[in-house]
Amino acid sequence: MTYRMPFVVTSTRAAALVVLASLGAAATGTVHAADAYPNHPIRMIVPFGTGSATDILARILSQKMGDAGVQLVVENRPGAGGSIGTGVLAKAPADGYTLALVSAGHAINATLYPKLPYDTVKDFSAVSLVASIPNVLVVDAASPYKSVKDLLAAANAKPGTINFASAGTGSSTHLSGELLKSLGKVDIVHVPYKGTGEALTDVMAGRVQLMLAPTVSAVPFVEQGRLRVLGVTTEKRAAALPNVPTLAEAGVPNYAFDSWFGILAPAGTPRDVIKRLNTEVAKALALPDVKEKLLTLGAEATPSTPKPSTPSSRRKSPSSRPWCASRARRRRTEVDGAPGLADRHAAAFRWRVGSGPAFHGPARAAGMPARPPH
């Protein structure tokens, strides 16, 4: 039986700012001897495996911030769609010496897992957005599928026989695959891994037929001739892959998906520490070689300033408020045997400011109203 995912996920810079702003409201207090911070290395938790988009971004920041005197030690803690590593962060001291680089999946997990070891909103302070990254539909270089239409035709001919890999249940790679199932009207089977690196390895080995992987992870293998890219998930073509069509152009009408990445600290981290970290992240992302590196990998640097949200600001922009914390916990359904994927409105996960073709088209195609009710 084909499961058609009743959601649309399209994360943008403006959208992610709203999420991080709401998390930033927890950042309180002051720090003593702020000028001395940091006086020893900072642990940067990456809740996915080596080779994932979060891992690549963390290591780029680690190198550049280290050059500026702020030493980051990257620690991979993969599992449960990123919630294991994020759970470690939630329990860490709020002293600025433990951070995590998370993706949009951090918020999505609130709808996917019924019992997280933390509160998605209350247990974290936002430091900064880092980047916006599209996914690309990739297959092994020796795959018989030369185009998206070839893939869809094969999936329709033999439902349930084609598998797609992901970095874990609830990750952007999982949800973009589910969106392909829904809008492409095909029955393909989800195979979750502990990280993007492991998943891509099996795609290149031919053990799994395809993956919708972040460009930062997939582009190097495409350039090496080990992967073939069939389409990009965003509304517009990626600058790093100008000759690759969007999935909408390639035969999946209304498909649009991208993912944000940002840095969190434990709730209660002093504001002076948050500001210092925010400044250092912004400096690193502003470096010309970092911008160029990200662009060649299909990513866009999106530094931000954490500003606590207020009830009045949320009232002014009702379409921007987070969906995960309340509605997601009330009504749940199941997908791929994993309990906890929220109903179609909660799982829509709109932190997008305003609306437009990227929202209305996919929403209607997935059986959702043009704008979820508030």
Side-chain angles (χ1 to χ4, degrees), residues 1-354:
M1 175 180 178
T2 301
Y3 182 90
R4 297 193 61 198
M5 179 64 105
F7 68 74
V8 175
V9 182
T10 309
S11 304
T12 64
R13 181 177 186 275
L17 280 169
V18 177
V19 178
L20 291 179
S22 69
L23 297 181
T28 59
T30 59
V31 61
H32 298 290
D35 291 341
Y37 174 84
N39 55 30
H40 61 268
I42 299 170
R43 178 171 61 153
M44 174 72 83
I45 296 173
V46 172
F48 292 96
T50 303
S52 64
T54 45
D55 179 70
I56 291 170
L57 292 174
R59 295 184 188 279
I60 290 173
L61 285 175
S62 175
Q63 178 185 349
K64 294 304 178 180
M65 290 176 67
D67 292 345
V70 180
Q71 187 176 356
L72 296 180
V73 178
V74 177
E75 178 181 326
N76 296 88
R77 298 292 294 267
S83 62
I84 290 177
T86 312
V88 173
L89 175 69
K91 295 176 175 62
D95 56 7
Y97 287 99
T98 304
L99 308 173
L101 202 157
V102 302
S103 68
H106 165 70
I108 294 167
N109 281 340
T111 69
L112 191 61
Y113 297 97
K115 292 184 179 180
L116 288 171
Y118 52 79
D119 185 292
T120 302
V121 175
K122 295 179 180 179
D123 288 345
F124 305 100
S125 298
V127 174
S128 177
L129 283 169
V130 173
S132 175
I133 301 176
N135 288 345
V136 284
L137 197 168
V138 292
V139 296
D140 175 37
S143 169
Y145 311 126
K146 308 294 185 182
S147 68
V148 173
K149 290 183 177 179
D150 288 346
L151 177 63
L152 296 179
N156 280 318
K158 295 183 177 181
T161 61
I162 292 179
N163 301 328
F164 75 94
S166 82
T169 301
S171 65
S172 70
T173 54
H174 171 205
L175 297 187
S176 55
E178 294 291 347
L179 188 59
L180 177 64
K181 287 175 62 174
S182 175
L183 298 183
K185 299 179 176 61
V186 291
D187 182 6
I188 54 178
V189 181
H190 177 222
V191 181
Y193 288 78
K194 289 186 177 180
T196 302
E198 292 182 14
L200 284 175
T201 296
D202 271 13
V203 173
M204 290 184 286
R207 288 187 282 270
V208 183
Q209 285 84 4
L210 67 108
M211 182 176 183
L212 287 116
T215 53
V216 295
S217 302
V219 165
F221 294 115
V222 174
E223 293 175 343
Q224 294 169 20
R226 301 178 64 187
L227 286 174
R228 178 186 303 139
V229 57
L230 304 184
V232 62
T233 62
T234 42
E235 291 179 79
K236 298 180 180 179
R237 297 191 180 195
L241 300 165
N243 296 322
V244 175
T246 67
L247 287 181
E249 292 174 329
V252 188
N254 299 316
Y255 194 108
F257 183 105
D258 67 318
S259 186
W260 57 262
F261 295 78
I263 297 174
L264 300 179
T269 300
R271 287 194 182 279
D272 289 350
V273 169
I274 295 290
K275 289 179 181 179
R276 172 69 191 280
L277 290 168
N278 179 273
T279 298
E280 295 300 331
V281 170
K283 286 180 180 178
L285 293 175
L287 294 172
D289 59 333
V290 172
K291 286 185 174 181
E292 182 178 358
K293 174 69 172 178
L294 292 177
L295 285 174
T296 60
L297 294 173
E300 178 187 0
T302 56
S304 64
T305 301
K307 294 181 179 179
S309 62
T310 63
S312 61
S313 68
R314 286 194 294 270
R315 285 195 296 270
K316 292 177 183 177
S317 302
S319 64
S320 306
R321 55 187 160 187
W323 285 79
C324 62
S326 57
R327 298 172 188 266
R329 294 186 182 124
R330 293 188 201 134
R331 298 165 57 191
R332 302 177 183 275
T333 182
E334 293 190 8
V335 59
D336 290 332
L341 191 65
D343 68 281
R344 64 184 61 192
H345 300 308
F349 251 68
R350 306 306 301 178
W351 297 297
R352 187 177 183 123
V353 176

